[in-house]
Amino acid sequence: MCTGSADVELAKRCSIHYNRKNKREPMPVAEIVTIGTELLLGEILDTNTRFLARELRNLGVDLYRTTTVGDNEERIAGVLKEALGRSQIVLTTGGLGPTVDDPTRQAVARALGVKLEFHPELWQQIQERFQRYGRQPSENNRRQAFIPQGAIPIPNPVGTAPAFIGETSEACIICLPGVPREMEYLFQHAVVPYLKERFHLHGVIQVRVLHTAGVGESQIDEWIGDLETSSNPTVGLLAHPGQCDIRITAKAETPENAASMIADMEALVRQRCGEAIFGADADTLETVIAGQLSRLGWKLLVVEVGLEGELCARLRHPSLADVSTCRAETIAEEGSPLVPEKTDEAQVFLGVCLSRDFDSFSLRWEIVSPQGRQTGLRKFGGAPALVKTWAGNTALDLVRRHLSQKG
């Protein structure tokens, strides 16, 4: 936990300006601004936005927009001014280092119409942290002790870049380091208490994701399109090659109420989508098949042709001890069987062969088990880069549905 005079100041600001007890207010809206030219160039992956988005969701705060901007003071200030005009909480990450190309402090001061001011206590904390590592801070590091006038300083016990909160009467800009470990620590230990106090945060946002396979996004939309117009809980679709996710999001006063709202909506979705749904949240086709095999006491043997090892790689999951795979580059002749005509008791054979037909792909499949034989052909006309994933999901879903007939 951050300690010291800054924490006292943080609590004082909250109690003086925002202590409106027994008054229910509209929930604030948030935006995230990630700062760094390296992000725009694709040199590093932005994991900070995902972390902050999930944390805001847990606090019951709606996130309406995320923006990435390079290390340019004027452009950063412009983005922040726009954000303050539509959101009550603006979170930034990055640009708090000691070098010339770390302009977040100046940009925030510019957006708020104030000057930078020096905080001796922040400079002292920076020096002490360097000393713990047997180093001396340079004069450049002294820049990090300057923050916008009137801002609330947030000491950084896990790094050298202090954070801060700039305020207006209706909104705030919370500036955090770009280093994920530092950003996460400061958000959890300093920012969350501040947000809860200032905005009287109440309620939670919970999410449930149902996974479907074997049907397209348009079919799912036809089944549940009217549910997608619901305002709370909301329902949305996210398509993947050979798989479509249904996201149910509920906002409520308590986790229990949110869970109840999601359960009611999930029951409707499951009723309409039926066996197309194979799992939820962390479930995958691989883990679902592993559970089916375990319950049946069966083993799965897989032969793939033309998938470049897609199924072999996916079926190496630790839970899939009852799966054997074989990869072949070609088959003996066109149309020849991929798997045996019959199988021993407690064995399931899957054979798949992926081939290209001019501007589309064909997946020939065969499944043989103690309960019978199934064969078929599926077509894919999407981007070639996605065909292996589509073929893998399609083949695994066919196995899932075949095994479910036994259950």
Side-chain angles (χ1 to χ4, degrees), residues 83 102 130 152 182 186 191 217 226-227 238 257 290 308 331 334 347-348 357 362:
D102 286 308
F130 270 88
I152 304 171
E182 298 180 28
L186 294 180
V191 175
E217 181 184 19
D226 60 317
L227 302 181
L238 179 60
N257 288 344
E308 299 180 359
I331 53 178
E334 189 67 28
Q347 285 188 332
V348 184
D357 306 316
S362 295

Side-chain angles (χ1 to χ4, degrees), residues 21 23 33 95 104 126 137 153 200 206 208 221 233 270 307:
K21 291 184 179 179
K23 182 179 180 182
V33 179
T104 299
I126 293 170
H200 307 286
Q206 289 191 2
R208 174 80 160 166
D221 184 69
R270 285 185 177 275
L307 277 74

Side-chain angles (χ1 to χ4, degrees), residues 194-268:
Y194 168 84
L195 292 176
K196 286 183 175 179
E197 183 68 25
R198 170 162 183 177
F199 295 101
H200 307 286
L201 296 182
H202 54 88
V204 296
I205 298 176
Q206 289 191 2
V207 177
R208 174 80 160 166
V209 180
L210 304 179
H211 307 300
T212 73
V215 293
E217 181 184 19
S218 59
Q219 178 62 74
I220 298 293
D221 184 69
E222 185 175 330
W223 287 338
I224 65 170
D226 60 317
L227 302 181
E228 294 170 50
T229 64
S230 170
S231 59
N232 190 25
T234 61
V235 178
L237 305 183
L238 179 60
H240 309 277
Q243 180 178 322
C244 183
D245 291 340
I246 304 170
R247 185 193 66 254
I248 306 172
T249 306
K251 189 172 184 179
E253 292 291 325
T254 66
E256 293 75 18
N257 288 344
S260 177
M261 293 167 65
I262 287 176
D264 291 343
M265 181 62 77
E266 180 177 347
L268 286 174

Side-chain angles (χ1 to χ4, degrees), residues 289-290 292-300 321-323 344-348 368-372 402-403 406:
I289 289 172
Q292 291 175 309
L293 293 171
S294 177
R295 288 190 295 272
L296 294 169
W298 288 3
K299 290 184 178 296
L300 173 65
D322 293 325
V323 176
D344 296 333
E345 186 176 356
Q347 285 188 332
V348 184
V368 178
S369 77
Q371 62 194 40
H402 186 90
L403 294 177
K406 178 67 176 178

Side-chain angles (χ1 to χ4, degrees), residues 304-311 327-328 352-354 363 388 391-392 395:
E304 64 164 271
V305 181
L307 277 74
E308 299 180 359
E310 172 75 13
L311 280 177
R327 174 184 172 187
V352 291
C353 178
L354 181 67
L363 183 72
K388 288 188 296 182

